[in-house]
Amino acid sequence: MQLASNADNKVTISAAGAIPSLVTIAASGAIPPLVMLLGPGSSTRVQKYAAAALGHLAQTADNQVTIAAAGAIPSLTQLLLPGCEADVKTAASAALLLLANGNADNVEELRAIAAAETSAQLLQQIDTLGLI
C-alpha cells in the first residue's frame, strides 16, 4: 500500500515528521543494501519488502537519484519477469513509478531498459507502468 499516494496522507506523514526520517535512512547508507536484497539470492518476501522500502524512500527527489545510482531500476525491472510472485511485481511496479515520478533521468533509464529488453512479457509489464 502506498500511503503517500493520497494527498491527505501526505499531509499527515509530513505533519508527523516522517520525511526527515526517510532522508536520514537514505543518508545512513541503507539504499545499496536494499538494492542488493532485490536480487535472486533473496526470498520473494525479502524482495517484496526491499522493493516496498525503496518505493517509500523514493518519495524524495534526492533519494530517487541515490536509489537509481545504486542500480535499483534494472533490479526492480527484473522483478517484473514471469515467474515472480504477484505481490513482488506489485511492490516493484510501485517503486518504479515512484522513482520515475518527476525524475526524467529515471524515466529515460527505464525506457532504455525496455528498448534493450527481448522478453515480450517483461516489455508488457513495463508498458503497464505507462512510462514507455
Side-chain angles (χ1 to χ4, degrees):
M1 176 179 214
Q2 298 297 324
L3 294 175
S5 63
N6 175 291
D8 292 335
N9 288 349
K10 287 181 183 180
V11 172
T12 303
I13 290 166
S14 180
I19 301 301
S21 297
L22 292 174
V23 173
T24 301
I25 289 168
S28 72
I31 290 173
L34 284 170
V35 172
M36 288 178 32
L37 292 173
L38 298 173
S42 296
S43 71
T44 56
R45 182 176 180 186
V46 168
Q47 290 172 329
K48 176 180 79 170
Y49 288 123
L54 289 167
H56 288 292
L57 291 170
Q59 295 178 42
T60 68
D62 288 342
N63 286 352
Q64 288 176 338
V65 172
T66 304
I67 292 166
I73 294 175
S75 296
L76 287 164
T77 58
Q78 290 301 302
L79 296 179
L80 302 177
L81 285 169
C84 286
E85 292 185 12
D87 55 347
V88 174
K89 288 181 181 183
T90 299
S93 295
L96 286 167
L97 284 171
L98 288 164
L99 283 166
N101 186 29
N103 188 307
D105 290 338
N106 289 351
V107 171
E108 282 307 309
E109 183 175 354
L110 187 57
R111 287 180 177 157
I113 290 168
E117 185 53 53
T118 59
S119 166
Q121 290 175 322
L122 180 56
L123 280 173
Q124 183 181 13
Q125 288 289 326
I126 293 172
D127 187 47
T128 62
L129 298 175
L131 301 172
I132 59 170

